[in-house]
Amino acid sequence: MGRILAIDYGNKRVGLAVTDPLQLIATPLETIHSQEVVAYVKAYHQREPLEALVVGMPRTLSNEATDSTSAVVGLIRRLRKELPEVPVHEIDERFTSRMAHAAMLAGGLSKKDRRDKATVDRVSATLILQSFLESR
């Protein structure tokens, strides 16, 4: 069984999360620059075989595209082309940033750590991945 990698894509930063080999637990992985995401995922897949990718799809409350939706669609298209053997799933990412802040507050993270956008991106990716795992 391979791992599942989740991507919370932003124009500047990308939060990543990954499952354990049994696909039971979602764990924050890293925050990288958005231009490095495809190369990072390909290198990760060579080290740790991926069974699937999960990408958070940004939508508004009224389920319409946001400013970054087209960039995410482009990323998904590129991932499918570069890694045709790995299925790419889209999942609604509405409220993940707000839920990430709430989770960090509940987890006792300091105010300084909660303001760190890289941490928020990693936690958001973890929430996206956990949501995908629960939906299966």
Side-chain angles (χ1 to χ4, degrees), residues 5 57 64 128 136:
L5 181 79
M57 183 57 71
E64 295 175 8
I128 288 167
R136 294 195 305 168

Side-chain angles (χ1 to χ4, degrees), residues 6-136:
I7 300 171
D8 179 34
Y9 187 84
N11 290 327
K12 293 181 184 176
R13 286 176 318 280
V14 176
L16 302 170
V18 69
T19 63
D20 61 302
L22 297 176
Q23 301 177 5
L24 300 173
I25 300 168
T27 307
L29 180 63
E30 203 169 334
T31 303
I32 60 173
H33 193 278
S34 60
Q35 294 176 337
E36 302 167 2
V37 68
V38 174
Y40 182 94
V41 171
K42 286 173 70 175
Y44 188 90
H45 180 53
Q46 287 186 334
R47 289 190 315 272
E48 292 277 344
L50 294 171
E51 187 169 305
L53 294 168
V54 178
V55 181
M57 183 57 71
R59 308 296 288 173
T60 65
L61 291 177
S62 57
N63 201 29
E64 295 175 8
T66 68
D67 295 340
S68 52
T69 301
S70 63
V72 174
V73 169
L75 171 67
I76 291 170
R77 192 176 296 128
R78 192 159 166 224
L79 287 168
R80 286 181 174 146
K81 180 181 177 195
E82 298 278 338
L83 297 164
E85 72 281 6
V86 180
V88 180
H89 304 278
E90 300 170 23
I91 192 161
D92 188 342
E93 71 165 27
R94 282 179 279 191
F95 306 115
T96 54
S97 292
R98 185 175 294 159
M99 289 167 51
H101 281 288
M104 292 188 309
L105 183 63
L109 256 65
S110 69
K111 195 173 200 175
K112 179 184 173 200
D113 289 338
R114 290 192 312 262
R115 270 194 248 130
D116 180 19
K117 290 182 174 21
T119 302
V120 174
D121 291 339
R122 282 191 302 275
V123 173
S124 292
T126 306
L127 292 170
I128 288 167
L129 185 52
Q130 191 63 47
S131 175
F132 175 78
L133 292 173
E134 290 170 2
S135 73
R136 294 195 305 168

